[in-house]
Amino acid sequence: MRIDDFLSEAKTVAIFGHVRPDGDCVGSTTGIYNYIKDNCPGISVDLYLENFPDSYKILRGASDARSAWTAESNGGKPYDLAFLMDTPSFERVGANGTECIKAAKKTINIDHHISNPLNLCTLNLVEPEASSASEVLYVSLDRSKVSKEAANSMYLGIVHDTGAFKFSCTGKRTMQVVGDLIEKGVDFAKIVNETYYTRTYKQTLVTGFVMENCKLGLGGKVVYAHITPEDMQRFGVTPVELSNVIDTIREVGGTEVALFLYPVNGKYKISLRSNYVVDVNAIAREFGGGGHTRAAGGDTSDAPEITIEKILKLVEKQL
C-alpha cells in the first residue's frame, strides 16, 4: 500500500518526529502535514513537535504544531493513522507521542537512520542510504500532488541533513529530488539563508566560545568540545540553540571526527560527526544512541571529560 492508500482510509491523523527536532524532522513532519492539508480535506490532522528553532517557522504549518500529545487529544480517541517521521526508535519519539503511536489503528514510519529496526509501524519506509527522511517522504508521495508549501518543507529537511549538499549522504537521487522541488517553486535561497546559514546573536557568541575552547585529540584527527550548564546560563541559550554547533566544529581542517557535548535534562547530549572513515553510529550505540555512519548521537550521565576520554579510545580503535 502507498501512503495515499492509508490516507484514503483515515479520518484522523497524528504526526510525530523525534526529540529535539532538527531541520529534517521539522521538514518531513510539516511536509506530510501540508500534503494532507492540501489533498485530504476530509481528514483532521494534528502535528506534534517539541520546541524547535523559530527560523523553521518559515514553513507553512510549523506554527500549527502542538508541543505534546495528551490523553485528551483527538477527543480521547485513538487516531486512525499516525506518522512517525525521521525517528528510528520509540525511545526517541518526541512530544510524548509513543503511547499515541502505539494506540493508533495504523502507523507509518518514514526514516533514513541505519539504526532503524524496520518494524516499528504498519508500514516502514526506511532507506538508510537516503540523505534524509524528507527525501524518503518525497519519493513515497504522489509527486503531482506535492504543493509548493509541502515542497518548501521537504527542501528544508534535505538542506539541513546534507549540510547544504556537502555531506557524503548527498546522492544522485537527492539532487534529482531537489530539482523536482525547485520546479515546484520552492523558496530555495530564502530557506538556505534564513534557516541554515543564519544564527541569532546569542548563537553566534556561544558558537565562538565553543570554537575558542575546542581541542584536538589523536594527533589532530579528532576535534572536541563541551559546554557546561553555567556556560549556557551565561550566554542565555537553550539546547535547541546548540544543535548546529557540531556542524561548525566539524569544519576544522584535517580532522576525521568532531565531538560536541552539551547539557540536556540533567545529562549531556553527545553529538558526533565523521568525514570518511569512522562509523560514529557504532560509537553512539555504546551510549544508548545511534543514527548514521557519519552523523550520530547519544547521551551520558558521566562528566564530559570522562565521556570524551571514552569516545577518543573508541575512535582510536577504528582509526
Side-chain angles (χ1 to χ4, degrees):
M1 292 180 68
R2 295 176 56 85
I3 290 175
D4 281 340
D5 296 324
F6 280 80
L7 291 174
S8 69
E9 299 174 352
K11 294 297 182 184
T12 58
V13 173
I15 303 168
F16 292 90
H18 57 70
V19 294
R20 297 184 293 277
D22 58 7
D24 188 29
C25 180
V26 177
S28 59
T29 53
T30 58
I32 188 61
Y33 178 79
N34 283 316
Y35 184 84
I36 295 170
K37 283 284 191 179
D38 292 330
N39 299 294
C40 308
I43 291 179
S44 174
V45 54
D46 294 322
L47 172 61
Y48 296 93
L49 283 172
E50 294 181 0
N51 189 31
F52 55 85
D54 284 342
S55 62
Y56 297 173
K57 291 180 181 177
I58 192 175
L59 301 176
R60 190 187 77 177
S63 296
D64 296 343
R66 304 182 184 190
S67 60
W69 174 85
T70 69
E72 288 74 38
S73 300
N74 194 41
K77 299 177 181 178
Y79 285 89
D80 295 331
L81 178 62
F83 284 88
L84 178 58
M85 311 296 293
D86 194 33
T87 307
S89 70
F90 287 123
E91 290 74 24
R92 292 274 297 158
V93 178
N96 194 37
T98 302
E99 182 180 341
C100 175
I101 295 168
K102 290 183 176 181
K105 297 175 184 177
K106 291 184 179 178
T107 55
I108 299 177
N109 182 207
I110 299 176
D111 189 30
H112 69 130
H113 290 87
I114 195 170
S115 54
N116 194 300
L118 311 179
N119 62 1
L120 297 178
C121 292
T122 311
L123 176 64
N124 298 280
L125 302 172
V126 180
E127 298 184 27
E129 298 303 316
S131 70
S132 56
S134 294
E135 179 184 331
V136 178
L137 173 62
Y138 178 75
V139 299
S140 302
L141 296 174
D142 182 338
R143 303 176 196 189
S144 68
K145 294 162 64 175
V146 174
S147 68
K148 174 184 175 180
E149 288 73 20
N152 276 336
S153 291
M154 289 178 273
Y155 181 79
L156 183 148
I158 293 171
V159 164
H160 281 255
D161 255 26
T162 60
F165 313 112
K166 66 178 181 287
F167 297 163
S168 61
C169 62
T170 307
K172 176 181 178 180
R173 191 184 70 175
T174 308
M175 302 311 291
Q176 290 172 332
V177 169
V178 168
D180 285 356
L181 297 177
I182 289 174
E183 285 191 340
K184 298 283 186 182
V186 296
D187 303 313
F188 59 89
K190 185 176 183 180
I191 289 171
V192 172
N193 290 333
E194 294 189 13
T195 73
Y196 188 79
Y197 287 112
T198 301
R199 299 187 184 95
T200 65
Y201 181 62
K202 289 190 299 181
Q203 285 175 309
T204 300
L205 292 179
V206 75
T207 301
F209 171 78
V210 171
M211 295 303 295
E212 184 179 4
N213 290 279
C214 69
K215 298 178 181 179
L216 294 174
L218 301 183
K221 292 297 184 182
V222 180
V223 57
Y224 60 90
H226 76 275
I227 192 169
T228 67
E230 293 75 20
D231 294 328
M232 290 180 64
Q233 186 174 13
R234 177 156 63 95
F235 285 99
V237 293
T238 64
V240 170
E241 294 170 294
L242 296 174
S243 59
N244 292 329
V245 172
I246 184 65
D247 292 322
T248 303
I249 294 175
R250 77 180 297 174
E251 294 173 359
V252 175
T255 59
E256 165 62 20
V257 174
L259 165 64
F260 181 49
L261 282 78
Y262 58 98
V264 177
N265 298 328
K267 294 185 177 183
Y268 274 89
K269 171 74 168 65
I270 303 168
S271 290
L272 286 158
R273 301 290 186 270
S274 68
N275 288 322
Y276 308 111
V277 178
V278 174
D279 180 355
V280 292
N281 176 62
I283 294 174
R285 286 202 303 265
E286 298 290 329
F287 298 89
H292 312 287
T293 304
R294 302 285 173 252
D299 56 53
T300 178
S301 297
D302 291 335
E305 295 80 5
I306 295 174
T307 302
I308 289 169
E309 187 63 30
K310 289 179 180 178
I311 291 175
L312 288 175
K313 291 179 179 178
L314 292 168
V315 172
E316 187 173 28
K317 286 182 179 180
Q318 290 199 37
L319 290 175

